Structure formats: C-alpha cells, structure tokens
C-alpha cells in the first residue's frame, strides 16, 4: 500500500506542477494592458444574495462631456461580500491614448433594478490613470445627506412647467460660442433680479450631427438637464447610421435624483459620466451668464436721447428718453406717440402707462401690451435708424367718415357692414399674431359667424372665424399662399387706431369716427 500511496502523491505533485506551468504560460500571454482590475465595495451593512443580485462593471470612453459614453468592455458576475474583486478584459486596439476612459460599477437585481452605483468618476488606462482602482458604490434609493430626494419627477415637472409659463416676462440673453469641434447658439432666460431660469442651447456638431440641450435652474441650482441629439460619423462600428440620443436628468438641490435615457429607441439608465457631465455643463453655463450680466450691468441703466429698437416679432419702434429719464416717448411708424412715465425697478429701467410697458436693462428690453410681450434690443442697423420722430404720421390730416356714413353708402364694399361686424373685427385683431395688424376684408357668414382676413406688418396673412358679437371661441389660420386672394381683398383696408396705416402712393386714407371717438383708418387702394 505504501508504494501505491507514494505513487499517488507523486502523480498529484506532477499534475500540480503541470498546472502551474500552464497558468504561468497563460499569464505570460495576458499582459497588464489588456485587463482593468479592482474592487467594488459599499459601506452599508447589508447582505445581498448572489442568486438574484449581480455586480456589473463597464469600461467607458468618456472623452466628450456632451456626448453619450461609449462602452469598450463590460462584465457581469454574482455579488459577494465586499470588497468584490473584478478582472475586466478589454480589446487594447480600442484604446486611444489621447482619449479619456472611466469605470462604471453597479449592483443590480435580476430584474434590472439598480441598487448601488458609483457617484464619482474613476479614470483608468490613459493620461497617467491607473489600471487598478477601488470603487465605492452608494445606494440610489435613499435620500442623500444633503437633502436630495428620490422622486418620480412629478415635482420637477411642475417646476419646469412653471418656469416655461414665466419665460415671456423674463429677460433674454442671446449668445454664441465655439467649443472644440462644435458651435453653440443659446438663449439664457433670467429673472429681472438676474436669477437664472433656463439656458436653451442648440449645438451644431458639424459632421457629427446636432444636439439641443436645456438646463433648468431653481434657486441657482440645476433642476433638470435634457438633451435630444442626432449623431452620425461618431467613430463606432456603424459610422453612417444616425444615433438618436435622448437624455433627461432630474436634480434635487443640485444632486441627481432620477433620470431616463434612450439610444435609438432602446431605454437604459443614465450612467455616472452623463450625470457628472450635466453638472459640469451647468457650472459652465452659470459662469457664462454671470459674466454676461456683469458686462451688461456696466452699461447705463437709463438710455439717453433717441434709440431705435428691433424686436423678435420683427416690429420696430423708436424711443425718446426725456426729462433726465423721467419720461419715454415710444413711436411706431403710422401711430400716435405713446407717452410712458418712469416706474421704480430693482435694476435697469422701466416705463409704463395704463396700456403699455417698456422694461429693460442695458440694450435689452421687453415691450408689453395687452396682446403679449415682445423681446427687443437696441439696434444700430440702417433699417432701424429710419424709424424716428420725423416719420410719425398718426393720426394724419385726413377726411373723416362716420360709421353711419359707411352703412348708408351701399357701395357693395365690405365696409358697408362694418358697424355690425366691428365686435368680431376687434376680437380678431386682438387674437391675430404679429405687429401692426390691419383688416384686408371681413364678411358675414351663416350661423351668426364672421370671417376676417388680416395682414400684419411683416406681410403675414391670417383668416379668422369668430361669432358676430366677438364672444366665444376664435379660430385663426395662416394663409400660406399669396395666390389665395379673396374677391375684393385689400380694396379697402381697415387699420385700428393703435396700428399703422399703409404707406405709398396707392392708398388714400380716411379717419373713422364712431360716436365721436376716432377708432382707426380706412385706406382705399387705387392700384390694381
């Protein structure tokens, strides 16, 4: 028995030596540059089942802060007691020493629910980063110590909707900048006190596609980050296939609370790089707003002399600031001058009367009327300089016609029914978009309705359908084709008193008076 036992031990020793040789040979073929190693741990004293809980580690290309990270390699293994050691192989040919790479670690259930995730960047491989890292993951289902909360996004959605509803009253700071290989055009919306509310960016990525990013703020902290991007030629396996990327991240007190992501329609969870990238972009945007506000605030808060303004609805007007800034006279071409008195403001300048308000800072302003707000800016272009006090022509020294006289003419022109259609016309003028709106034609219809065709100062025409008494629902529609001309359209044009009658040799004008009150102009067109 002893010889046999000795032989058995000897055989086992030889096998062990052989296995060591084989492993040594394998080790010589596997270099440090083809694996990333490390450990994952968490501080909570809880036990996780290896049958239903898994550790997922991903090696990611995180070179671009405004682009989705690219997965280089990943592994999935059952959890163990922390620290959990991992060895992640990767294809060395996919690593570019000029780019940046990082690790993402998650603990997930068999159903895909994420229980733990790292909340800081762990760089590896390039730019003097190590190949071995120890990763700390944190639970994402509990409140963070700084007061951040886990929510379903309902409160964030309400806050975002409230911000969107206030944008018309906010100051707009437009701008553009170039970052690495793309150009960004943006609008920053801030409150009158300079509090940032929204940065809306459009990024032209050249041959790589486009991206639209919105950053919402609450109490000067990031509230929501969203991005919708279409990317091509990104450098992956399918360079020519567009990549549709959608990301939305909600934050509580500036700390990530929840989010969603989809790539080409496939949903997944936002990764740590995307969250940290959003926070970095937010800080840059806030710094840019602060710099621009500081620059604008160095300008005088009261504009002196006469200035010309051009607005985002293409309307234009001039303003004369008088009496050391105590009064402003606003003048549109073809309108009576509008006198405004100075009002107290926290910063910048403000003027108003019972119907109109002009508020601004530096060379940016908001022109507010009963029909809405227009965002305007001081312009020095030759076109805007043509608007001046010398061109004021309202109300004009024209013949006067009364409503009663119009009804008695029986001329066959639409203005014969002007009086009974006036409530509907007034309602349509209020509803229709654009500045300097006039009526080209109005006509009574069946069932107590009136049709009204209007034109604004930019030539845009709209059809309006409204009850004859001007009450109830008003329907408007853009008339797209200039060939869609109604019989008798623009033979006689009506312009309300707060508008601007048409200029040129084709038109002759009359002033309309109703019950002794001037209500506008009738302009007869003598040109074919």
């Amino acid at each position: 028995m002893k010889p046999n036992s000795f032989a058995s031990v000897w055989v086992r020793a030889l096998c062990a030596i052989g296995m060591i040789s084989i492993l040594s040979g394998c080790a010589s073929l596997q270099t440090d540059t083809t694996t990333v190693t490390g450990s994952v741990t968490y501080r909570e004293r809880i036990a996780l089942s290896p049958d239903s809980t898994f550790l997922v580690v991903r090696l990611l290309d995180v070179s671009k802060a405004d682009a989705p990270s690219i997965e280089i390699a990943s592994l999935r293994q059952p959890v163990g007691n922390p620290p959990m050691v991992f060895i992640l192989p990767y294809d060395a040919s996919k690593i570019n020493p000029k780019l940046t790479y990082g690790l993402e670690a998650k603990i997930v259930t068999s159903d895909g629910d994420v229980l733990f995730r790292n909340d800081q960047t762990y760089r590896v491989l390039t730019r003097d980063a190590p190949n071995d890292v120890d990763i700390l993951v944190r639970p994402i289902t509990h409140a963070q110590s700084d007061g951040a909360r886990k929510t379903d996004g309902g409160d964030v959605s309400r806050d975002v909707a409230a911000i969107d509803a206030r944008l018309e009253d906010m100051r707009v700071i437009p701008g553009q900048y170039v970052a690495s290989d793309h150009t960004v055009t943006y609008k920053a919306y801030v409150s009158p006190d300079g509090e940032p509310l929204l940065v809306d960016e459009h990024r032209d990525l050249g041959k790589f596609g486009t991206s639209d990013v919105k950053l919402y703020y609450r109490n000067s902290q990031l509230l929501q980050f969203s991005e919708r991007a279409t990317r091509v030629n990104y450098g992956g396996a399918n360079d020519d296939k567009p990549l549709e990327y959608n990301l939305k991240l909600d934050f509580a007190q500036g700390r990530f609370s929840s989010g969603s992501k989809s790539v080409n329609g496939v949903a997944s969870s936002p990764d740590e790089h995307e969250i940290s990238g959003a926070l970095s972009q937010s800080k840059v945007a806030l710094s840019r707003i602060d710099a621009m506000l500081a620059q604008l605030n160095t300008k005088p808060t009261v504009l002196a002399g006469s200035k010309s303004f051009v607005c985002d609805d293409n309307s234009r007007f001039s303003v004369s600031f008088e009496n050391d800034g105590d009064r402003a006279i606003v003048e549109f071409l073809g309108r009576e001058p509008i006198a405004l008195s100075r009002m107290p403001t926290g910063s910048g300048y403000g003027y108003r009367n019972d119907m109109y308000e002009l508020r601004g800072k530096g060379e940016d302003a908001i022109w507010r009327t009963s029909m809405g707000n227009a965002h305007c800016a001081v312009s020095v272009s030759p076109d805007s300089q043509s608007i001046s006090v010398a061109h004021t022509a309202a109300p004009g020294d024209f013949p006067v016609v009364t409503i009663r006289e119009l009804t008695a003419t029986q001329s066959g022109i639409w203005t014969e029914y002007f009086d009974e259609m006036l409530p509907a016309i007034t309602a349509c003028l209020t509803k229709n978009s654009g500045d300097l709106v006039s009526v080209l034609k109005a006509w009574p219809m069946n069932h107590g309705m009136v049709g009204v065709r209007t034109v604004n100062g930019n030539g845009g025409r709209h059809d309006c359908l409204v009850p004859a008494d001007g009450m109830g629902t008003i329907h408007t529609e853009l008339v797209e084709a200039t060939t869609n001309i109604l019989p008798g359209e623009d033979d006689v044009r009506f312009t309300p008193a707060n508008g601007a009658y048409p200029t040129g040799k084709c038109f002759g004008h009359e002033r309309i008076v109703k019950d002794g009150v001037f209500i506008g102009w009738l302009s007869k067109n003598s040109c074919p």
Side-chain angles (χ1 to χ4, degrees):
M1 293 297 298
K2 290 184 179 179
N4 290 339
S5 299
F6 178 80
S8 176
V9 171
W10 179 248
V11 170
R12 290 178 184 178
L14 289 177
C15 290
I17 294 172
M19 290 298 296
I20 292 173
S21 301
I22 293 173
L23 291 175
S24 300
C26 292
S28 66
L29 297 175
Q30 187 103 357
T31 65
D32 291 338
T33 58
T34 58
T35 61
V36 179
T37 60
S39 67
V40 176
T41 189
Y42 55 85
R43 294 172 177 171
E44 287 68 23
R45 295 187 176 183
I46 58 176
L48 300 175
S49 171
D51 296 328
S52 60
T53 318
F54 301 89
L55 171 65
V56 177
V57 181
R58 302 168 68 207
L59 173 61
L60 303 172
D61 175 355
V62 296
S63 302
K64 293 192 175 183
D66 62 341
S69 55
I70 300 175
E71 181 179 300
I72 304 300
S74 66
L75 65 80
R76 178 187 176 98
Q77 64 188 43
V79 298
N81 293 326
M84 294 170 277
V85 177
F86 66 87
I87 300 175
L88 175 59
Y90 66 90
D91 184 352
S93 65
K94 294 183 178 181
I95 302 301
N96 185 336
K98 297 181 180 180
L99 300 183
T100 304
Y101 300 89
L103 287 181
E104 176 194 73
K106 296 185 292 185
I107 298 177
V108 302
T109 67
S110 56
D111 295 329
D113 296 329
V114 182
L115 303 179
F116 291 81
R117 178 167 50 200
N118 56 303
D119 62 357
Q120 70 181 71
T121 301
Y122 292 89
R123 290 179 50 192
V124 292
L125 298 182
T126 60
R127 303 178 183 270
D128 297 325
N131 287 14
D132 185 87
V133 292
D134 296 321
I135 301 175
L136 175 66
V137 294
R138 300 181 185 273
I140 67 169
T141 57
H142 302 305
Q144 301 294 341
S145 58
D146 65 352
R149 59 193 184 278
K150 180 69 178 179
T151 72
D152 60 2
D155 56 342
V156 174
S157 298
R158 285 192 297 269
D159 289 342
V160 168
I163 292 173
D164 287 335
R166 297 173 56 196
L167 291 183
E168 285 189 354
D169 298 327
M170 295 301 106
R171 184 179 180 186
V172 181
I173 304 176
Q176 186 179 77
Y177 64 92
V178 177
S180 63
D181 57 353
H182 58 270
T183 302
V184 180
T185 303
Y186 68 89
K187 287 184 178 180
Y189 294 83
V190 298
S191 70
D193 297 329
E195 178 185 354
L197 297 177
L198 168 65
V199 177
D200 191 351
E201 295 188 350
H202 174 72
R203 301 174 178 179
D204 183 354
L205 308 178
K207 65 179 182 179
F208 298 112
T210 61
S211 174
D212 293 299
V213 172
K214 289 187 176 182
L215 300 99
Y216 287 89
Y217 293 94
R218 177 176 54 195
N219 299 327
S220 297
Q221 289 186 316
L222 184 60
L223 173 66
Q224 185 181 88
F225 176 94
S226 65
E227 180 177 8
R228 299 176 63 90
T230 300
R231 302 178 184 275
V232 293
N233 298 323
Y234 189 70
N238 300 316
D239 283 354
D240 297 328
K241 182 180 179 181
L243 182 149
E244 299 294 338
Y245 172 72
N246 292 279
L247 176 69
K248 185 171 75 171
L249 306 174
D250 292 340
F251 293 82
Q253 298 183 8
R255 193 176 182 91
F256 174 69
S257 60
S258 62
S260 61
K261 179 177 73 172
S262 68
V263 179
N264 287 344
V266 179
S268 60
S269 299
D271 59 42
E272 179 274 335
H273 164 65
E274 290 161 323
I275 297 169
S276 61
L279 290 169
S280 298
Q281 293 176 64
S282 171
K283 292 178 181 178
V284 173
L286 288 176
S287 298
R288 186 172 289 110
I289 292 175
D290 289 341
M292 295 191 70
L293 285 174
Q295 180 182 5
L296 292 173
N297 289 340
T298 61
K299 300 179 180 179
T301 58
V302 176
L303 298 181
S306 181
K307 300 291 182 180
S308 297
F309 286 80
V310 59
C311 305
D312 55 9
D313 62 357
N314 290 322
S315 62
R316 300 175 181 225
F317 59 88
S318 66
V319 181
S320 298
F321 297 89
E322 301 179 348
N323 301 333
D324 295 328
D326 288 337
R327 192 170 79 142
I329 306 298
V330 180
E331 301 183 72
F332 289 85
L333 179 63
R335 295 194 195 186
E336 292 179 331
I338 302 170
L340 306 177
S341 298
R342 190 174 183 179
M343 63 180 185
T345 58
S347 59
Y349 57 87
Y351 298 86
R352 68 184 174 196
N353 62 16
D354 293 338
M355 297 179 61
Y356 304 97
E357 181 179 304
L358 177 69
R359 180 191 291 267
K361 180 179 286 188
E363 297 187 348
D364 296 310
I366 294 177
W367 173 246
R368 178 177 290 120
T369 72
S370 60
M371 299 176 63
N373 300 332
H375 294 92
C376 311
V378 172
S379 175
V380 295
S381 67
D383 290 6
S384 64
Q385 291 297 324
S386 65
I387 306 170
S388 65
V389 178
H391 287 85
T392 300
D397 185 16
F398 304 122
V400 176
V401 60
T402 65
I403 293 290
R404 180 174 299 180
E405 290 171 339
L406 283 178
T407 304
T409 57
Q410 297 185 355
S411 60
I413 300 176
W414 69 268
T415 53
E416 182 178 339
Y417 307 98
F418 185 87
D419 191 27
E420 60 187 81
M421 294 189 298
L422 184 57
I425 290 173
T426 302
C428 285
L429 288 172
T430 303
K431 180 70 174 178
N432 274 259
S433 60
D435 191 61
L436 309 179
V437 182
S438 299
V439 176
L440 299 177
K441 184 177 181 178
W443 59 97
M445 303 176 66
N446 295 331
H447 309 293
M449 304 296 289
V450 171
V452 182
R453 174 162 290 187
T454 63
V455 63
N456 60 35
N458 300 318
R461 295 184 301 153
H462 290 79
D463 279 344
C464 174
L465 182 65
V466 62
D469 60 3
M471 307 296 290
T473 304
I474 302 174
H475 299 279
T476 61
E477 182 180 10
L478 176 66
V479 182
E480 296 183 357
T482 56
T483 55
N484 184 7
I485 306 297
L486 296 172
E489 177 181 327
D490 208 20
D491 287 346
V492 178
R493 183 182 300 193
F494 168 67
T495 305
N498 65 345
Y501 56 77
T503 59
K505 297 180 179 180
C506 291
F507 291 95
H509 310 289
E510 294 177 329
R511 298 178 61 199
I512 307 178
V513 175
K514 179 178 174 64
D515 300 328
V517 177
F518 167 63
I519 64 171
W521 297 268
L522 283 184
S523 304
K524 296 182 179 179
N525 189 353
S526 60
C527 296

